[in-house]
Amino acid sequence: MLVSIISLSSIGAASAIILYFIAQKFKVIEDPRIDEVNEMLPGANCGGCGFAGCRNFAEAIVKATDLSDLNCPVGGNAVMTDIANMLGKAAGTKEPQVAVVRCNGSCENAPKKVQYEGAASCAFAHALSSGDSGCPDGCLGLGDCVASCKFDAMYMDPVTCLPVIIEENCVACGACVKACPRNIIELRNVGKKSRRIYVSCMNTEKGGVARKNCSVACIGCFKCEKECAFDAITIKNNLAYIDYEKCKLCRKCAPVCPTNAIHEINFPPRKEKTEKTAKITETV
Amino acid sequence: MKTFQMGGVHPPENKISEKAAIEVLPLPQKAFIPLGQNLGAPAKAVVDKGALVKVGQLIASGEAFISANVHSSVSGKVARIDNVLDHSGYRNKAIVIDVEGDEWEESIDRSPAVIRECNLSSEEIIQKIKEMGIVGLGGATFPTHVKLMVPTDKKAEFLIINGVECEPYLTSDHRLMLEKGEELIIGVTILMKALKVEKAFIGIENNKSDALENLKRIAADYKGIEVQPLKVKYPQGGEKQLIKALIGREVPSGKLPLEVGCVVQNIGTAFAVYEAVQKNKPLIERVVTLTGKSVKKPANYLVRIGTPVNNLIETSGGLPEKTGKIISGGPMMGKALVSTEVPVVKGTSGILIMNEKESHRPLMSNCIRCARCIGVCPMGLEPVLLAQLSANERWEDAERERILDCIECGSCHFTCPSGRPLLDYLRVGKNKVGQLIRTRAKKI
Amino acid sequence: MDTLTISGSPHVFGGQSVKKIMYGVVIAMIPAMLVSLYFFGFGALRVILVSVVSCLIFEYLIQKHLMKLEPTINDGSAVVTGILLAFNLPSNLPVWIILVGALVAIGIGKMSFGGLGKNPFNPALVGRVFLLISFPVQMTSWPVPKPVFSSALTDAVTGPTPLGLIKDGLKLGKTVPEIMSDPTFPDYIQTLIGNHGGSLGEMSAIALILGGIYMLIRKIITWEIPVAYIGSVVIFTGIFWLIDPTYYADPLFHLLTGGMMLGVFFMATDMVSSPMSRTGQLIYGVGCGVLTILIRIWGAYPEGVSFAILIMNAFVPLLNKYIKPKRFGEVVKHG
């Protein structure tokens, strides 16, 4: 009995001493502020900041002298200001953003001409052909973006075959933007009262060709550009683009679009021409 | 009889058009000649809208290092230079020509006489091949002149001619070997001269005994050409598999056949080289097999480049009812076409029409880890593992497991009892890993 | 024109399916099943039917109600598990024990890991070993075979397996030749055709070998695992037999008894729970063989096949990770 007590305690003591020295030898001196910053971050490890994970981002924050380029899309400006105050640095502010799907090629608007069969991967379908509808820039509907979303902010609409973004959940981490092989998803500023106007099309083909495949394609007709009083709309490669920094949300462009390619989100319904806009907000 | 050892499968051969002699297809009304018909950079158009062109006239020049010239395959007027749906499933730049008559460039020798002598030097031959826009006709469409330019630190010992045609259904190479044997062998001697090698092997699978005998008989009169029968096994037509089968050398992972002193050319390419060098004829037409179980008249056509696939189908009795899939190439590696308007290009070896029943994949179920895909992989890879890594986006691990060695032969998916789309995921993985490696190279 | 289908190559397929493979295995098990019916009659039929039907029902219920999936019971994998489980049970086992075994095999052995293809252990063996440990008395009282046409014995008579006879005899201080020369001890011919005590399916070595050859010809299994398994058993037991034939039984005896053939051809080769690469399969087979004999000679149980295979199953992920097939172009040869 006594022997076993002694021998066990001595083994324990010896191990403790060895462990102590090993811990000393391999001790890593780390800025304690990294842990503190890490604690303040949301801990989603989404990679939206451009770093591999929250801890890497915390390291970068502590190291950096200027925080204006560093932003955590999940925590937003509030978290960044807190961190900056704690570290005594100046925080940069960034407009909150949200993901926007820039394609309205639903099964109805862009009818299927061929039938894709194979792995449920947009990346593969993109390499194989221009897709079921024939539009080379349109949504393939296989949900690579939904699979990439870590915040339950997306789902595939079974009726339209298009991804839908749940705004309340979207933190603009950009995972879906990277996942989409056709760059259909864009991060845009949330805007006043969450109101946004954008061109829901990515097709750069000539108007006639684009229309053949999809009834709501942007045909690059310049009508919206002429209508815009703020130079917010540019047309390049037969495709209009609305700059969200310049757009004043005056809503003048949407009614002139002959193909209903310009979408308005979260606006109150228009008084006149209710039929047309109702259709648009419905699809949104 | 020789063959390669590792993996391989035996899909049903279905060579239903092997008895049909090569027929000349009537000229189309409009030719759609894509600018990017080769692996590498597309050619740049050198004619404008409204220009009158003759058969064999240069209409687009391949300026990049890996690129090939494109010649007009018809005579007439350039209607437009526009995006046209091609075999890639996308709309790409092509020259559209309204066909008027059939007027050829005078420099082209159209007589049937066989010219045996070739007094050009190696450099002159390669230059000629480059001018005539010859690309590999097996399907990969790699510009032939680039393949013939041996870097100074490497030495070519053997020329390997691929007459295997291991894809089921296809018979265009088979018919060529039967009907144009003499020209073809001369083409081989020209290629040997260009490469400065003394020895050439022609590998032919023994299901084409008539072609084998024909070439053997003709090659007996030429020095250094050996016709070698091979045991039927897919994918024997893969460069690395063919070299292994013929001379027993294994091309190291990630390297070119030149590493083991070999240059591989397709049998169709040898014929095109003969026509280019001896007859001054650019690559403007090729033999295309039109086949399928439901096709009324399976045939081998001599088709002008740019002819819509529809013309071939019409000549063979029209599109069969209940067609489910149209494939450019063979059923193992071919590409499904999205429309019959797609033009025939330099790499089109066949058009396979499948009916509704044949054209769907078997239903997918859970992987039962039977390891059959590993057993049949001719590159000794683990397709099941690679597909998993690719689906989980573990690109670095996939690279370590040599995903880039995959030759996309499709044996894994062919043999999978659970019908899993292994090759789909492998392709995605190869793409992504390739991108990763390129960005890594840029950073350094 | 109908809508064209677009998919990646290949566009033709080999026509193999999970169903074909599984029913191929079932066909291969028919000879052994017939032998068991001949020797145990109604008892065997009862065990097989209860086992197969309960496996199917459990799989259906779990897939439908617990996993909320489309049930896939017609792929045949549950049938294979059911028959294999029955093969490992004595013919007089009460129905409720069979049901427990089927539930453990399907529920814990297979479905808890995610269903077909995801189980690390052979489900039938999981069920069998669970029963063996939980109900040792019922699981080890084997009825003496009573051919259908003979009236010499009654159902109630039970007796141990040949391996059990040897183990008990050695404990009593007898030598192996003495035990074997006992008139009630089955000779080689009897062990070959299956006229000895034991579980349903392990009886007749020859019927099992027939099934194994059928599967090899149909390419349902590959030769690596059976050959490595049998080879290692022969070498390992051969060495001991040569050292002391009075204490250790000879290799042929080991091969023909204790469900060795059942394990070699039907359980070790289960594709889900065996390694992928050929080298891995060889190592796995040798491991199974060595472990079987270790358990048989020094273990508490007279039979070791089930335990050996289950233990080796646990090594399969490791073998898959580190034993890779030879890649093309790895060794540069100049001819």
Side-chain angles (χ1 to χ4, degrees):
Chain A
M1 183 72 180
L2 192 68
V3 178
S4 47
I5 290 175
I6 293 172
S7 59
L8 276 177
S9 341
S10 54
I11 289 172
S15 315
I17 293 165
I18 294 168
L19 270 176
Y20 173 78
F21 281 107
I22 289 175
Q24 282 295 313
K25 186 150 169 63
F26 291 102
K27 200 173 184 179
V28 179
I29 299 156
E30 201 177 42
D31 196 328
R33 292 179 302 171
I34 295 178
D35 277 332
E36 282 172 46
V37 172
N38 196 22
E39 283 294 302
M40 295 168 85
L41 289 170
N45 287 315
C46 66
C49 52
F51 292 88
C54 289
R55 193 169 176 87
N56 305 58
F57 184 52
E59 280 169 28
I61 291 177
V62 172
K63 244 182 250 166
T65 47
D66 180 15
L67 294 188
S68 56
D69 292 338
L70 297 169
N71 188 281
C72 171
V74 183
N77 289 336
V79 165
M80 289 311 291
T81 322
D82 285 353
I83 292 174
N85 291 342
M86 195 263 291
L87 295 173
K89 295 175 183 173
T93 50
K94 205 181 167 203
E95 274 285 312
Q97 289 190 315
V98 69
V100 163
V101 179
R102 290 171 65 199
C103 174
N104 195 20
S106 62
C107 315
E108 199 181 314
N109 294 334
K112 284 186 175 188
K113 293 189 185 61
V114 292
Q115 179 70 45
Y116 170 78
E117 198 178 279
S121 152
C122 301
F124 179 68
H126 173 67
L128 195 62
S129 79
S130 47
D132 289 355
S133 72
C135 174
D137 303 297
C139 176
L140 292 156
L142 295 167
D144 276 12
C145 49
V146 175
S148 77
C149 185
K150 287 178 188 157
F151 298 93
D152 283 337
M154 292 184 102
Y155 65 92
M156 292 305 289
D157 189 322
V159 180
T160 61
C161 321
L162 291 171
V164 179
I165 287 159
I166 307 166
E167 283 177 41
E168 303 86 71
N169 293 356
C170 179
V171 298
C173 69
C176 51
V177 176
K178 276 182 218 141
C180 180
R182 296 189 156 174
N183 304 318
I184 289 166
I185 304 175
E186 188 195 8
L187 295 180
R188 291 177 79 92
N189 285 356
V190 171
K192 272 180 206 146
K193 292 185 190 168
S194 286
R195 288 173 179 175
R196 291 182 292 283
I197 298 181
Y198 62 94
V199 178
S200 188
C201 182
M202 289 295 287
N203 188 297
T204 57
E205 292 175 305
K206 278 182 201 154
V209 183
R211 269 307 282 279
K212 220 185 243 174
N213 292 324
C214 178
S215 61
V216 292
C218 171
I219 53 172
C221 67
F222 289 90
K223 273 191 183 149
C224 53
E225 192 198 30
K226 279 175 204 144
E227 196 68 28
C228 184
F230 309 101
D231 278 344
I233 303 182
T234 45
I235 302 215
K236 212 173 130 192
N237 295 330
N238 308 309
L239 177 66
Y241 177 75
I242 302 179
D243 187 340
Y244 52 78
E245 304 273 352
K246 289 181 185 165
C247 176
K248 301 276 189 248
L249 305 172
C250 71
R251 301 175 79 187
K252 280 193 180 138
C253 49
V256 301
C257 180
T259 57
N260 290 341
I262 298 180
H263 282 201
E264 308 172 319
I265 297 185
N266 298 333
F267 282 95
R270 274 173 204 272
K271 275 160 199 145
E272 76 275 31
K273 287 188 199 167
T274 38
E275 202 184 304
K276 194 174 174 185
T277 41
K279 202 177 167 193
I280 296 173
T281 39
E282 198 177 74
T283 50
V284 169
Chain B
M1 204 171 298
K2 288 183 178 179
T3 186
F4 63 99
Q5 285 84 33
M6 196 180 275
V9 290
H10 295 95
E13 290 171 24
N14 282 322
K15 304 266 192 189
I16 44 185
S17 56
E18 65 181 346
K19 294 277 179 283
I22 300 172
E23 273 176 65
V24 178
L25 193 82
L27 287 178
Q29 285 176 324
K30 253 189 200 302
F32 302 86
I33 305 176
L35 296 179
Q37 296 189 39
N38 54 278
L39 199 87
K44 284 209 172 70
V46 294
V47 288
D48 291 321
K49 185 180 165 182
L52 290 172
V53 292
K54 289 182 186 168
V55 179
Q57 184 180 332
L58 183 75
I59 52 174
S61 92
E63 282 158 9
F65 178 65
I66 300 178
S67 189
N69 287 346
V70 176
H71 301 79
S72 178
S73 56
V74 291
S75 65
K77 196 163 151 192
V78 177
R80 58 199 159 97
I81 300 175
D82 198 2
N83 287 337
V84 167
L85 195 64
D86 66 14
H87 59 280
S88 71
Y90 284 89
R91 277 175 284 274
N92 287 310
K93 277 262 174 314
I95 297 176
V96 184
I97 300 171
D98 286 326
V99 180
E100 288 162 23
D102 191 23
E103 200 183 327
W104 289 57
E105 285 275 16
E106 279 90 47
S107 55
I108 300 171
D109 173 8
R110 295 182 68 194
S111 72
V114 177
I115 305 168
R116 292 188 175 76
E117 286 303 306
C118 172
N119 299 321
L120 299 177
S121 73
S122 164
E123 288 72 27
E124 283 167 330
I125 292 173
I126 294 173
Q127 186 57 32
K128 193 98 196 169
I129 290 173
K130 185 181 177 186
E131 269 170 37
M132 296 298 163
I134 311 289
V135 300
L137 294 183
T141 63
F142 193 82
T144 303
H145 65 272
V146 183
K147 228 174 175 181
L148 294 177
M149 287 190 275
V150 180
T152 41
D153 58 331
K154 300 264 157 59
K155 197 184 168 319
E157 288 172 68
F158 303 110
L159 170 66
I160 309 273
I161 299 292
N162 180 356
V164 171
E165 204 161 47
C166 59
E167 277 272 7
Y169 287 98
L170 299 189
T171 55
S172 54
D173 287 352
H174 183 183
R175 291 311 304 180
L176 208 59
M177 288 189 278
L178 267 182
E179 296 176 33
K180 305 279 183 193
E182 179 88 50
E183 289 93 330
L184 214 147
I185 296 284
I186 298 166
V188 174
T189 60
I190 294 169
L191 282 168
M192 285 163 75
K193 205 169 170 189
L195 283 168
K196 298 174 186 155
V197 298
E198 301 296 320
K199 185 88 193 154
F201 292 95
I202 303 179
I204 301 172
E205 281 188 351
N206 65 347
N207 57 352
K208 296 178 265 291
S209 47
D210 45 356
L212 196 68
E213 288 312 311
N214 185 38
L215 286 197
K216 248 190 187 155
R217 186 176 49 78
I218 299 166
D221 299 339
Y222 294 85
K223 221 184 106 201
I225 300 179
E226 193 179 311
V227 180
Q228 181 78 51
L230 298 168
K231 212 165 112 188
V232 177
K233 185 151 112 183
Y234 179 86
Q236 195 137 236
E239 275 192 337
K240 293 180 176 181
Q241 279 66 38
L242 185 61
I243 293 172
K244 178 79 187 173
L246 281 172
I247 60 172
R249 293 184 186 176
E250 246 176 56
V251 181
S253 161
K255 294 280 167 44
L256 294 172
L258 211 49
E259 198 71 20
V260 291
C262 294
V263 173
V264 185
Q265 294 287 359
N266 186 265
I267 206 98
T269 317
F271 178 68
V273 163
Y274 162 81
E275 292 206 306
V277 176
Q278 304 293 74
K279 301 275 192 173
N280 230 0
K281 184 177 155 195
L283 185 53
I284 53 156
E285 52 187 10
R286 66 156 298 151
V287 182
V288 179
T289 305
L290 192 277
T291 181
K293 281 179 187 152
S294 51
V295 172
K296 283 209 186 84
K297 194 191 97 184
N300 299 293
Y301 295 115
L302 185 66
V303 186
R304 298 282 174 94
I305 304 293
T307 307
V309 165
N310 210 10
N311 287 27
L312 279 81
I313 297 173
E314 287 306 321
T315 315
S316 265
L319 193 69
E321 261 178 52
K322 294 231 164 92
T323 293
K325 204 186 246 179
I326 301 174
I327 299 160
S328 160
M332 291 300 286
M333 289 188 77
K335 240 190 121 128
L337 297 178
V338 295
S339 150
T340 52
E341 259 115 74
V342 169
V344 166
V345 289
K346 291 175 182 176
T348 312
S349 46
I351 300 293
L352 169 61
I353 292 173
M354 290 180 123
N355 60 37
E356 185 61 36
K357 236 192 219 159
E358 298 170 295
S359 52
H360 294 293
R361 292 179 165 189
L363 284 181
M364 189 173 115
S365 57
N366 279 0
C367 169
I368 54 167
R369 294 192 267 177
C370 64
R372 279 175 167 74
C373 54
I374 299 174
V376 299
C377 180
M379 297 306 290
L381 304 173
E382 293 166 284
V384 53
L385 173 71
L386 292 171
Q388 239 169 46
L389 292 175
S390 170
N392 296 333
E393 310 198 352
R394 285 166 61 187
W395 312 125
E396 281 86 3
D397 291 331
E399 187 188 350
R400 213 171 307 126
E401 296 292 341
R402 304 222 211 171
I403 195 169
L404 290 182
D405 276 1
C406 169
I407 57 167
E408 304 186 18
C409 66
S411 300
C412 47
H413 191 179
F414 173 85
T415 201
C416 180
S418 297
R420 300 188 72 78
L422 296 167
L423 186 52
D424 289 8
Y425 283 114
L426 276 165
R427 283 211 180 96
V428 173
K430 276 182 77 174
N431 231 324
K432 281 273 157 62
V433 171
Q435 278 171 17
L436 264 183
I437 291 174
R438 279 194 292 277
T439 49
R440 210 182 294 150
K442 258 182 217 158
K443 270 181 198 158
I444 301 164
Chain C
M1 193 172 69
D2 309 283
T3 319
L4 292 178
T5 303
I6 297 293
S7 62
S9 64
H11 306 286
V12 285
F13 300 95
Q16 270 293 353
S17 72
V18 174
K19 223 174 170 171
K20 278 188 192 166
I21 292 176
M22 291 301 169
Y23 287 113
V25 176
V26 172
I27 291 170
M29 288 191 286
I30 285 174
M33 222 186 294
L34 292 178
V35 170
S36 72
L37 289 177
Y38 174 74
F39 282 121
F40 296 120
F42 177 72
L45 189 67
R46 185 186 58 113
V47 173
I48 294 173
L49 276 183
V50 170
S51 172
V52 170
V53 171
S54 57
C55 277
L56 283 170
I57 292 174
F58 285 135
E59 176 148 321
Y60 180 85
L61 291 177
I62 292 173
Q63 280 184 327
K64 179 113 183 178
H65 296 294
L66 280 178
M67 299 168 80
K68 313 273 184 225
L69 292 173
E70 196 55 38
T72 55
I73 51 164
N74 57 356
D75 66 12
S77 61
V79 177
V80 171
T81 304
I83 299 177
L84 274 181
L85 179 66
F87 274 13
N88 278 300
L89 304 175
S91 63
N92 59 351
L93 204 63
V95 170
W96 66 274
I97 296 186
I98 306 175
L99 289 177
V100 170
L103 183 62
V104 170
I106 294 291
I108 297 175
K110 188 172 168 193
M111 288 303 159
S112 66
F113 295 102
L116 177 63
K118 295 179 178 148
N119 46 301
F121 300 104
N122 186 326
L125 282 181
V126 171
R128 193 255 161 134
V129 167
F130 179 84
L131 294 184
L132 188 62
I133 295 169
S134 313
F135 310 102
V137 179
Q138 289 92 327
M139 283 295 288
T140 50
S141 55
W142 291 277
V144 170
K146 178 184 76 88
V148 179
F149 305 109
S150 75
S151 54
L153 295 160
T154 58
D155 265 356
V157 178
T158 59
T161 61
L163 279 169
L165 285 173
I166 294 218
K167 199 129 205 167
D168 294 341
L170 288 173
K171 274 186 199 147
L172 296 172
K174 291 188 201 164
T175 63
V176 171
E178 276 172 28
I179 302 165
M180 283 191 173
S181 58
D182 189 284
T184 58
F185 196 88
D187 60 16
Y188 291 124
I189 303 297
Q190 280 175 324
T191 54
L192 196 65
I193 59 165
N195 193 6
H196 60 83
S199 302
L200 282 189
E202 68 180 25
M203 309 276 297
S204 167
I206 192 89
L208 291 163
I209 292 171
L210 264 178
I213 291 172
Y214 171 79
M215 289 199 290
L216 279 170
I217 292 171
R218 283 275 310 272
K219 292 190 177 155
I220 294 170
I221 58 172
T222 49
W223 60 266
E224 279 87 353
I225 294 174
V227 167
Y229 201 155
I230 293 173
S232 64
V233 166
V234 168
I235 293 171
F236 204 51
T237 53
I239 292 170
F240 283 107
W241 182 59
L242 287 176
I243 293 172
D244 186 0
T246 61
Y247 193 75
Y248 301 105
D250 58 290
L252 188 61
F253 177 78
H254 273 290
L255 281 185
L256 295 178
T257 55
M260 178 66 88
M261 285 303 138
L262 183 64
V264 164
F265 287 110
F266 289 93
M267 301 206 280
T269 55
D270 169 37
M271 29 189 85
V272 176
S273 51
S274 62
M276 305 255 220
S277 69
R278 294 183 158 216
T279 329
Q281 289 174 354
L282 288 173
I283 296 172
Y284 169 84
V286 171
C288 285
V290 170
L291 279 178
T292 306
I293 302 307
L294 281 180
I295 295 169
R296 278 190 182 178
I297 295 179
W298 288 293
Y301 285 96
E303 269 122 34
V305 174
S306 313
F307 292 104
I309 294 174
L310 280 179
I311 292 170
M312 285 315 289
N313 280 168
F315 283 98
V316 166
L318 201 70
L319 289 172
N320 279 342
K321 194 168 160 64
Y322 290 106
I323 312 290
K324 295 285 172 189
K326 186 193 163 291
R327 313 283 201 220
F328 187 96
E330 206 162 44
V331 186
V332 187
K333 271 182 257 163
H334 273 279

